Amino acid sequence: MNISVLVPPQNDARDIHESLSLIKTKYLNLTQEAENAIDLMKERRTALLSAAVTGKIDVSDWQAPEQLQTDKEKAV
C-alpha cells in the first residue's frame, strides 16, 4: 500500500529534535531532584523515629497540630 507521509525539512526536523531533547533533559533533571528530596525526607523520618524510640528526644508533650479550617468553616 502506498501511504502519503508528510516529512518536515531536515533543518526543521533537527530543530524539533533538539528542542525535544532539551525538554526531556529538563524533566529528567527535575525528576531526579524530586527523587533525591524524597530519599532525604525518608532518611530524616527514619532518624526522627529512631531518636523518639530510643529516648534521644522527648515527645511526651507532643500533640497533633490542629487541622486547617476549610473555607466553609471560616465563613460560618
Side-chain angles (χ1 to χ4, degrees), residues 18-50:
E18 288 175 7
S19 295
L20 291 176
S21 292
L22 289 174
I23 292 170
K24 180 181 176 183
T25 301
K26 178 181 175 181
Y27 282 108
L28 287 173
N29 289 338
L30 288 172
T31 302
Q32 186 62 48
E33 286 180 29
E35 289 173 355
N36 290 342
I38 290 168
D39 290 341
L40 179 61
M41 286 185 274
K42 286 179 180 180
E43 288 176 21
R44 290 184 177 177
R45 179 185 64 187
T46 300
L48 180 61
L49 288 172
S50 176

